[in-house]
Amino acid sequence: MSGLYFHIPFCRKACVYCDFHFSTSMGTKERVLATMRAELRSRIAELNGAALRSIYFGGGTPSLLSVQELGTLLNDARSLATIEADAEITIEANPDDISEAVLAAWLDIGITRVSLGVQSFREERLQWMGRAHNAEQSLRAIELVANAGFASWTIDLIYGLPGMSLPEWDEQLTIALDHGMPHLSAYCLTVETRTALHKQVQTGRIKPANDEEQAAQFEHGIARVAKAGLIQYEISNFGKEGHFAKHNTSYWQGVPYLGIGPSAHSFDGAKRRWNTANNVRYSMGVESGERFWEEETLTPVQRINERLLTGLRTMWGVELSALGEAFHKANAKAIERYLALDELLERDGRLILTQKGKNFADRIASYLFLPEP
Protein backbone atom coordinates (compact mmCIF):
# COMPACT_ATOMS: atom_id res chain seq x y z
CA MET A 1 0.00 0.00 0.00
CA SER A 2 1.01 3.60 -0.47
CA GLY A 3 -0.27 7.17 -0.31
CA LEU A 4 -0.65 10.06 -2.72
CA TYR A 5 -0.41 13.70 -1.67
CA PHE A 6 -1.40 16.73 -3.77
CA HIS A 7 -0.06 20.06 -2.52
CA ILE A 8 -2.39 22.87 -3.60
CA PRO A 9 -0.28 26.02 -3.12
CA PHE A 10 -2.95 28.73 -2.99
CA CYS A 11 -4.68 30.62 -0.17
CA ARG A 12 -6.97 33.63 0.06
CA LYS A 13 -4.98 35.12 2.93
CA ALA A 14 -1.68 34.56 4.71
CA CYS A 15 -2.05 33.23 8.25
CA VAL A 16 0.27 34.83 10.76
CA TYR A 17 1.77 31.51 11.92
CA CYS A 18 1.94 29.52 8.66
CA ASP A 19 5.26 28.45 7.12
CA PHE A 20 3.82 26.10 4.48
CA HIS A 21 4.34 27.04 0.86
CA PHE A 22 1.44 28.96 -0.67
CA SER A 23 0.60 31.99 -2.79
CA THR A 24 -2.28 34.42 -2.36
CA SER A 25 -2.13 35.14 -6.10
CA MET A 26 -4.20 32.78 -8.23
CA GLY A 27 -2.54 33.86 -11.47
CA THR A 28 -0.49 30.67 -11.79
CA LYS A 29 -3.25 28.26 -10.76
CA GLU A 30 -4.10 26.89 -14.21
CA ARG A 31 -0.44 26.33 -15.08
CA VAL A 32 0.40 24.76 -11.73
CA LEU A 33 -2.51 22.31 -11.93
CA ALA A 34 -1.53 21.35 -15.48
CA THR A 35 2.05 20.67 -14.43
CA MET A 36 0.90 18.76 -11.36
CA ARG A 37 -0.99 16.43 -13.70
CA ALA A 38 2.15 16.08 -15.81
CA GLU A 39 4.29 15.37 -12.74
CA LEU A 40 1.89 12.66 -11.62
CA ARG A 41 2.04 10.97 -15.02
CA SER A 42 5.83 11.08 -15.07
CA ARG A 43 6.30 9.76 -11.53
CA ILE A 44 3.49 7.25 -11.01
CA ALA A 45 5.92 4.37 -11.65
CA GLU A 46 7.66 5.27 -8.37
CA LEU A 47 4.76 3.60 -6.55
CA ASN A 48 5.96 0.28 -8.01
CA GLY A 49 2.40 -0.82 -8.57
CA ALA A 50 1.42 -0.45 -4.90
CA ALA A 51 -2.27 0.22 -4.34
CA LEU A 52 -3.17 3.61 -2.92
CA ARG A 53 -4.52 3.44 0.61
CA SER A 54 -5.05 7.18 0.78
CA ILE A 55 -5.15 10.34 -1.31
CA TYR A 56 -4.77 13.69 0.42
CA PHE A 57 -5.40 17.20 -0.89
CA GLY A 58 -3.36 19.53 1.34
CA GLY A 59 -1.83 22.94 1.05
CA GLY A 60 -2.44 25.77 0.97
CA THR A 61 -6.21 25.69 0.69
CA PRO A 62 -7.41 22.85 -1.56
CA SER A 63 -11.04 23.90 -1.08
CA LEU A 64 -10.27 26.91 -3.30
CA LEU A 65 -10.21 24.55 -6.29
CA SER A 66 -13.35 23.98 -8.29
CA VAL A 67 -15.02 20.58 -8.15
CA GLN A 68 -13.96 20.04 -11.76
CA GLU A 69 -10.30 20.77 -10.93
CA LEU A 70 -10.34 18.38 -7.97
CA GLY A 71 -12.17 15.74 -10.00
CA THR A 72 -9.62 15.94 -12.80
CA LEU A 73 -6.74 15.23 -10.40
CA LEU A 74 -8.68 12.34 -8.84
CA ASN A 75 -9.55 10.88 -12.23
CA ASP A 76 -5.89 11.03 -13.23
CA ALA A 77 -4.99 9.09 -10.07
CA ARG A 78 -7.67 6.52 -10.80
CA SER A 79 -6.49 6.02 -14.38
CA LEU A 80 -2.82 5.72 -13.42
CA ALA A 81 -2.89 3.74 -10.16
CA THR A 82 -4.86 1.10 -8.31
CA ILE A 83 -6.90 2.61 -5.48
CA GLU A 84 -8.09 0.41 -2.64
CA ALA A 85 -11.87 0.03 -2.41
CA ASP A 86 -11.94 1.60 1.06
CA ALA A 87 -9.26 4.21 0.38
CA GLU A 88 -9.42 7.42 2.38
CA ILE A 89 -9.62 10.52 0.17
CA THR A 90 -9.25 13.70 2.24
CA ILE A 91 -9.58 17.36 1.40
CA GLU A 92 -8.43 20.15 3.69
CA ALA A 93 -11.04 22.89 3.66
CA ASN A 94 -11.65 26.33 5.09
CA PRO A 95 -15.06 26.91 6.68
CA ASP A 96 -15.82 29.82 4.33
CA ASP A 97 -15.65 27.46 1.34
CA ILE A 98 -18.30 25.08 2.71
CA SER A 99 -21.85 24.86 1.37
CA GLU A 100 -24.35 22.05 0.92
CA ALA A 101 -23.79 22.10 -2.84
CA VAL A 102 -20.00 21.93 -2.53
CA LEU A 103 -20.14 19.05 -0.06
CA ALA A 104 -22.53 17.10 -2.26
CA ALA A 105 -20.22 17.63 -5.24
CA TRP A 106 -17.18 16.47 -3.26
CA LEU A 107 -19.01 13.31 -2.28
CA ASP A 108 -19.97 12.77 -5.90
CA ILE A 109 -16.33 12.83 -7.11
CA GLY A 110 -15.23 10.45 -4.35
CA ILE A 111 -14.01 12.58 -1.44
CA THR A 112 -14.53 10.50 1.72
CA ARG A 113 -13.12 12.76 4.44
CA VAL A 114 -13.13 16.51 5.15
CA SER A 115 -10.58 18.25 7.37
CA LEU A 116 -11.87 21.66 8.49
CA GLY A 117 -9.29 24.29 9.40
CA VAL A 118 -11.30 25.92 12.19
CA GLN A 119 -8.35 26.80 14.50
CA SER A 120 -10.50 28.85 16.91
CA PHE A 121 -14.14 29.74 17.60
CA ARG A 122 -13.24 33.21 18.88
CA GLU A 123 -13.58 36.09 16.45
CA GLU A 124 -10.65 38.09 17.80
CA ARG A 125 -8.35 35.06 17.54
CA LEU A 126 -9.33 34.39 13.94
CA GLN A 127 -8.72 38.01 13.01
CA TRP A 128 -5.30 37.97 14.68
CA MET A 129 -4.37 34.72 12.90
CA GLY A 130 -5.35 36.22 9.55
CA ARG A 131 -7.93 33.52 8.83
CA ALA A 132 -10.35 34.10 5.94
CA HIS A 133 -13.38 32.79 7.85
CA ASN A 134 -15.28 33.91 10.93
CA ALA A 135 -16.60 32.02 13.95
CA GLU A 136 -20.16 31.83 12.61
CA GLN A 137 -18.91 30.25 9.39
CA SER A 138 -17.01 27.65 11.42
CA LEU A 139 -20.10 26.55 13.31
CA ARG A 140 -22.19 26.45 10.15
CA ALA A 141 -19.52 24.47 8.28
CA ILE A 142 -19.29 21.89 11.06
CA GLU A 143 -23.05 21.42 11.01
CA LEU A 144 -23.09 20.97 7.23
CA VAL A 145 -20.14 18.56 7.14
CA ALA A 146 -21.53 16.50 10.03
CA ASN A 147 -24.75 15.90 8.13
CA ALA A 148 -23.35 15.53 4.61
CA GLY A 149 -22.63 11.80 4.71
CA PHE A 150 -18.83 11.61 4.60
CA ALA A 151 -17.18 8.47 5.95
CA SER A 152 -15.25 10.67 8.38
CA TRP A 153 -14.44 14.29 9.14
CA THR A 154 -12.25 16.27 11.49
CA ILE A 155 -11.45 19.79 12.62
CA ASP A 156 -8.19 21.49 13.61
CA LEU A 157 -7.87 23.60 16.75
CA ILE A 158 -4.84 25.53 18.01
CA TYR A 159 -3.86 25.91 21.67
CA GLY A 160 -0.90 27.69 23.25
CA LEU A 161 -1.99 31.01 21.73
CA PRO A 162 -0.56 34.21 23.23
CA GLY A 163 -2.49 35.03 26.38
CA MET A 164 -4.69 31.93 26.11
CA SER A 165 -6.01 30.82 29.49
CA LEU A 166 -7.04 27.33 30.49
CA PRO A 167 -10.72 28.39 30.61
CA GLU A 168 -10.47 29.71 27.03
CA TRP A 169 -8.99 26.41 25.83
CA ASP A 170 -11.68 24.51 27.71
CA GLU A 171 -14.32 26.67 26.02
CA GLN A 172 -12.86 25.85 22.60
CA LEU A 173 -12.88 22.13 23.33
CA THR A 174 -16.44 22.27 24.65
CA ILE A 175 -17.73 23.95 21.48
CA ALA A 176 -15.95 21.42 19.30
CA LEU A 177 -16.86 18.28 21.24
CA ASP A 178 -20.50 19.30 21.59
CA HIS A 179 -20.78 18.70 17.83
CA GLY A 180 -19.88 15.02 18.19
CA MET A 181 -17.08 14.96 15.64
CA PRO A 182 -15.37 11.59 15.14
CA HIS A 183 -11.88 13.12 14.95
CA LEU A 184 -10.05 16.16 16.29
CA SER A 185 -6.54 17.50 15.70
CA ALA A 186 -5.20 19.84 18.38
CA TYR A 187 -1.92 21.58 17.63
CA CYS A 188 0.20 23.78 19.86
CA LEU A 189 1.09 27.10 18.26
CA THR A 190 4.69 26.99 17.07
CA VAL A 191 6.69 30.11 16.24
CA GLU A 192 8.29 29.30 12.89
CA THR A 193 10.97 31.45 11.30
CA ARG A 194 10.04 33.43 8.19
CA THR A 195 6.50 34.01 9.44
CA ALA A 196 4.70 37.16 10.55
CA LEU A 197 4.32 35.61 14.00
CA HIS A 198 8.09 35.20 14.31
CA LYS A 199 8.57 38.88 13.53
CA GLN A 200 5.91 39.85 16.09
CA VAL A 201 7.69 37.81 18.76
CA GLN A 202 11.11 39.20 17.83
CA THR A 203 9.88 42.79 18.04
CA GLY A 204 8.10 42.17 21.34
CA ARG A 205 4.61 42.78 19.97
CA ILE A 206 3.56 39.26 20.98
CA LYS A 207 4.58 37.24 24.02
CA PRO A 208 4.26 33.51 23.25
CA ALA A 209 2.86 31.06 25.77
CA ASN A 210 5.48 29.51 28.01
CA ASP A 211 6.20 25.80 28.38
CA GLU A 212 4.12 25.48 31.54
CA GLU A 213 1.05 27.04 29.93
CA GLN A 214 1.38 24.87 26.84
CA ALA A 215 1.83 21.71 28.92
CA ALA A 216 -1.22 22.50 31.06
CA GLN A 217 -3.38 23.05 27.98
CA PHE A 218 -2.02 19.88 26.35
CA GLU A 219 -2.86 17.74 29.37
CA HIS A 220 -6.27 19.35 29.81
CA GLY A 221 -7.08 18.70 26.16
CA ILE A 222 -6.18 15.02 26.48
CA ALA A 223 -8.47 14.62 29.49
CA ARG A 224 -11.41 16.44 27.88
CA VAL A 225 -11.18 14.60 24.60
CA ALA A 226 -10.89 11.22 26.32
CA LYS A 227 -14.16 11.88 28.15
CA ALA A 228 -15.80 12.46 24.77
CA GLY A 229 -14.77 8.97 23.65
CA LEU A 230 -11.93 9.95 21.31
CA ILE A 231 -8.67 8.03 21.48
CA GLN A 232 -5.32 9.81 21.42
CA TYR A 233 -3.73 7.67 18.71
CA GLU A 234 -1.01 10.26 18.00
CA ILE A 235 0.35 13.14 20.07
CA SER A 236 -1.90 15.76 18.43
CA ASN A 237 -4.63 13.57 16.94
CA PHE A 238 -7.72 12.05 18.53
CA GLY A 239 -10.32 9.84 16.92
CA LYS A 240 -13.04 7.30 17.50
CA GLU A 241 -12.39 3.72 16.44
CA GLY A 242 -12.58 3.51 12.67
CA HIS A 243 -11.83 7.23 12.24
CA PHE A 244 -8.05 7.37 12.67
CA ALA A 245 -6.57 9.22 9.68
CA LYS A 246 -5.17 6.60 7.33
CA HIS A 247 -3.00 9.05 5.41
CA ASN A 248 -1.21 10.58 8.38
CA THR A 249 -0.94 7.22 10.13
CA SER A 250 0.94 5.95 7.08
CA TYR A 251 3.41 8.83 7.46
CA TRP A 252 4.08 7.93 11.08
CA GLN A 253 4.49 4.25 10.24
CA GLY A 254 6.97 4.85 7.44
CA VAL A 255 4.69 3.81 4.56
CA PRO A 256 5.92 5.14 1.16
CA TYR A 257 4.02 8.03 -0.40
CA LEU A 258 4.21 10.16 -3.51
CA GLY A 259 3.98 13.95 -3.21
CA ILE A 260 2.85 16.01 -6.20
CA GLY A 261 3.04 19.80 -6.53
CA PRO A 262 5.25 22.70 -5.43
CA SER A 263 7.03 21.93 -2.11
CA ALA A 264 5.46 18.44 -1.94
CA HIS A 265 7.53 15.75 -0.20
CA SER A 266 7.82 12.09 -1.17
CA PHE A 267 9.28 9.02 0.55
CA ASP A 268 9.95 5.59 -0.94
CA GLY A 269 11.15 3.84 2.20
CA ALA A 270 14.79 4.80 1.79
CA LYS A 271 14.91 8.08 -0.13
CA ARG A 272 13.24 11.38 0.63
CA ARG A 273 12.48 13.96 -2.05
CA TRP A 274 11.04 17.49 -1.93
CA ASN A 275 9.96 19.71 -4.79
CA THR A 276 10.93 23.36 -5.09
CA ALA A 277 8.73 25.69 -3.05
CA ASN A 278 8.16 28.10 -5.93
CA ASN A 279 5.18 27.86 -8.27
CA VAL A 280 6.88 29.27 -11.35
CA ARG A 281 10.13 27.33 -10.95
CA TYR A 282 8.12 24.18 -10.30
CA SER A 283 6.05 24.53 -13.47
CA MET A 284 9.09 25.47 -15.57
CA GLY A 285 10.94 22.41 -14.28
CA VAL A 286 8.11 20.03 -15.06
CA GLU A 287 7.60 21.53 -18.52
CA SER A 288 11.28 21.53 -19.49
CA GLY A 289 12.28 18.26 -17.88
CA GLU A 290 14.91 20.05 -15.81
CA ARG A 291 15.40 19.16 -12.16
CA PHE A 292 12.92 20.91 -9.85
CA TRP A 293 13.51 18.91 -6.68
CA GLU A 294 16.11 17.88 -4.13
CA GLU A 295 16.51 14.49 -2.54
CA GLU A 296 18.50 12.53 -0.01
CA THR A 297 19.02 8.85 0.61
CA LEU A 298 18.68 8.10 4.30
CA THR A 299 21.48 6.21 5.99
CA PRO A 300 20.56 3.09 8.00
CA VAL A 301 20.97 5.15 11.18
CA GLN A 302 18.72 7.94 9.90
CA ARG A 303 16.05 5.40 9.01
CA ILE A 304 16.14 3.94 12.51
CA ASN A 305 16.01 7.39 14.11
CA GLU A 306 13.07 8.46 11.94
CA ARG A 307 11.21 5.26 12.73
CA LEU A 308 11.78 5.94 16.42
CA LEU A 309 10.74 9.61 16.22
CA THR A 310 7.52 9.05 14.29
CA GLY A 311 6.60 5.73 15.87
CA LEU A 312 6.83 7.03 19.42
CA ARG A 313 4.29 9.74 18.57
CA THR A 314 1.62 7.07 18.10
CA MET A 315 -0.29 4.85 20.50
CA TRP A 316 1.30 1.82 18.82
CA GLY A 317 4.83 2.96 19.56
CA VAL A 318 7.72 1.38 17.69
CA GLU A 319 8.59 -2.28 17.29
CA LEU A 320 11.82 -2.96 19.18
CA SER A 321 12.96 -5.65 16.75
CA ALA A 322 12.82 -3.10 13.91
CA LEU A 323 15.34 -0.84 15.66
CA GLY A 324 18.16 -3.38 15.53
CA GLU A 325 20.87 -4.68 17.82
CA ALA A 326 22.95 -1.49 17.71
CA PHE A 327 20.02 0.49 19.10
CA HIS A 328 19.57 -1.94 22.00
CA LYS A 329 23.26 -1.87 22.90
CA ALA A 330 23.44 1.92 22.79
CA ASN A 331 20.20 2.62 24.67
CA ALA A 332 19.63 -0.22 27.14
CA LYS A 333 20.38 1.95 30.18
CA ALA A 334 18.48 4.96 28.86
CA ILE A 335 15.42 2.83 28.19
CA GLU A 336 15.59 1.40 31.71
CA ARG A 337 15.75 4.97 33.04
CA TYR A 338 12.69 6.09 31.07
CA LEU A 339 10.83 2.96 32.15
CA ALA A 340 11.63 3.78 35.80
CA LEU A 341 10.45 7.37 35.27
CA ASP A 342 7.15 6.04 33.86
CA GLU A 343 7.76 7.87 30.60
CA LEU A 344 8.17 4.72 28.50
CA LEU A 345 6.76 1.22 28.69
CA GLU A 346 7.48 -2.03 26.88
CA ARG A 347 4.45 -3.98 25.70
CA ASP A 348 4.17 -6.83 23.22
CA GLY A 349 7.67 -6.19 21.93
CA ARG A 350 7.04 -2.48 21.35
CA LEU A 351 8.39 0.68 22.96
CA ILE A 352 5.50 3.05 23.78
CA LEU A 353 5.28 6.46 25.42
CA THR A 354 3.22 6.62 28.60
CA GLN A 355 0.76 9.46 29.15
CA LYS A 356 3.46 11.22 31.15
CA GLY A 357 6.02 10.58 28.44
CA LYS A 358 3.87 12.21 25.75
CA ASN A 359 4.79 15.57 27.28
CA PHE A 360 8.42 14.91 26.33
CA ALA A 361 8.05 12.90 23.12
CA ASP A 362 10.60 14.73 20.99
CA ARG A 363 13.12 15.00 23.82
CA ILE A 364 12.93 11.28 24.59
CA ALA A 365 13.23 10.30 20.94
CA SER A 366 16.20 12.59 20.33
CA TYR A 367 17.97 11.26 23.43
CA LEU A 368 17.60 7.73 22.06
CA PHE A 369 18.81 8.62 18.56
CA LEU A 370 21.75 6.60 17.29
CA PRO A 371 24.78 8.65 16.23
CA GLU A 372 26.15 8.20 12.74
CA PRO A 373 29.18 5.91 12.74
Side-chain angles (χ1 to χ4, degrees), residues 252-274:
W252 303 317
Q253 295 179 340
V255 175
Y257 59 92
L258 181 63
I260 301 296
S263 81
H265 285 232
S266 304
F267 179 62
D268 66 3
K271 185 170 62 180
R272 197 170 298 285
R273 162 178 163 156
W274 55 100

Side-chain angles (χ1 to χ4, degrees), residues 219-295:
E219 292 174 357
H220 182 72
I222 292 171
R224 281 297 315 275
V225 175
K227 287 182 181 179
L230 275 64
I231 299 165
Q232 186 184 23
Y233 69 100
E234 192 270 342
I235 295 292
S236 302
N237 287 273
F238 309 81
K240 295 179 181 178
E241 289 284 358
H243 292 275
F244 300 165
K246 291 181 181 180
H247 193 81
N248 290 339
T249 298
S250 292
Y251 283 163
W252 303 317
Q253 295 179 340
V255 175
Y257 59 92
L258 181 63
I260 301 296
S263 81
H265 285 232
S266 304
F267 179 62
D268 66 3
K271 185 170 62 180
R272 197 170 298 285
R273 162 178 163 156
W274 55 100
N275 292 345
T276 181
N278 181 288
N279 291 357
V280 174
R281 286 203 297 266
Y282 166 79
S283 291
M284 290 177 63
V286 175
E287 291 163 349
S288 67
E290 296 180 0
R291 189 179 176 112
F292 57 91
W293 70 89
E294 296 182 57
E295 63 184 18

Side-chain angles (χ1 to χ4, degrees), residues 5-321:
Y5 172 77
F6 289 111
H7 186 84
I8 310 301
F10 303 103
C11 289
R12 284 195 179 87
K13 297 177 66 177
C15 294
V16 68
Y17 54 80
C18 183
D19 72 336
F20 292 126
H21 169 62
F22 67 92
S23 172
T24 55
S25 170
M26 305 293 282
T28 62
K29 186 182 74 164
E30 184 175 339
R31 185 183 185 190
V32 167
L33 292 178
T35 45
M36 286 177 65
R37 296 181 66 195
E39 184 192 4
L40 178 62
R41 290 191 297 271
S42 69
R43 298 185 60 203
I44 197 67
E46 295 177 29
L47 294 176
N48 295 315
L52 291 175
R53 181 192 189 201
S54 63
I55 299 175
Y56 196 100
F57 290 95
T61 309
S63 55
L64 284 177
L65 297 191
S66 69
V67 173
Q68 181 179 0
E69 289 166 337
L70 291 167
T72 297
L73 291 172
L74 274 178
N75 286 336
D76 283 354
R78 293 186 180 105
S79 67
L80 294 167
T82 300
I83 301 177
E84 295 181 359
D86 63 344
E88 173 190 273
I89 303 178
T90 301
I91 183 169
E92 291 181 351
N94 277 359
D96 50 307
D97 293 323
I98 299 299
S99 68
E100 287 187 34
V102 164
L103 295 175
W106 287 349
L107 281 167
D108 190 54
I109 64 172
I111 302 292
T112 68
R113 183 173 180 268
V114 175
S115 176
L116 278 175
V118 171
Q119 316 310 354
S120 175
F121 293 104
R122 286 198 172 187
E123 203 65 48
E124 70 275 13
R125 292 294 192 185
L126 293 171
Q127 291 177 6
W128 171 74
M129 291 180 196
R131 300 295 292 173
H133 67 278
N134 57 44
E136 183 180 347
Q137 288 172 319
S138 290
L139 294 172
R140 177 60 176 160
I142 288 173
E143 180 183 346
L144 290 175
V145 171
N147 294 305
F150 290 95
S152 192
W153 58 283
T154 181
I155 75 165
D156 290 352
L157 288 179
I158 298 178
Y159 65 93
L161 296 169
M164 176 179 259
S165 64
L166 205 56
E168 179 186 344
W169 178 228
D170 185 71
E171 167 203 80
Q172 298 297 295
L173 291 167
T174 298
I175 295 171
L177 295 172
D178 280 352
H179 287 82
M181 74 250 326
H183 189 283
L184 171 69
S185 296
Y187 299 109
C188 185
L189 181 69
T190 302
V191 181
E192 304 286 359
T193 57
R194 302 187 304 276
T195 63
L197 175 60
H198 184 252
K199 183 175 291 187
Q200 290 178 7
V201 171
Q202 281 189 318
T203 58
R205 290 177 55 197
I206 291 292
K207 181 180 179 181
N210 59 41
D211 291 345
E212 291 75 18
E213 291 168 330
Q214 292 177 353
Q217 290 168 27
F218 174 69
E219 292 174 357
H220 182 72
I222 292 171
R224 281 297 315 275
V225 175
K227 287 182 181 179
L230 275 64
I231 299 165
Q232 186 184 23
Y233 69 100
E234 192 270 342
I235 295 292
S236 302
N237 287 273
F238 309 81
K240 295 179 181 178
E241 289 284 358
H243 292 275
F244 300 165
K246 291 181 181 180
H247 193 81
N248 290 339
T249 298
S250 292
Y251 283 163
W252 303 317
Q253 295 179 340
V255 175
Y257 59 92
L258 181 63
I260 301 296
S263 81
H265 285 232
S266 304
F267 179 62
D268 66 3
K271 185 170 62 180
R272 197 170 298 285
R273 162 178 163 156
W274 55 100
N275 292 345
T276 181
N278 181 288
N279 291 357
V280 174
R281 286 203 297 266
Y282 166 79
S283 291
M284 290 177 63
V286 175
E287 291 163 349
S288 67
E290 296 180 0
R291 189 179 176 112
F292 57 91
W293 70 89
E294 296 182 57
E295 63 184 18
E296 65 172 340
T297 299
L298 302 181
T299 66
V301 166
Q302 287 175 323
R303 292 173 68 177
I304 289 172
N305 289 344
E306 282 204 4
R307 182 172 296 183
L308 179 72
L309 178 66
T310 57
L312 281 181
R313 291 187 63 87
T314 72
M315 64 184 244
W316 306 284
V318 60
E319 193 173 355
L320 281 165
S321 62

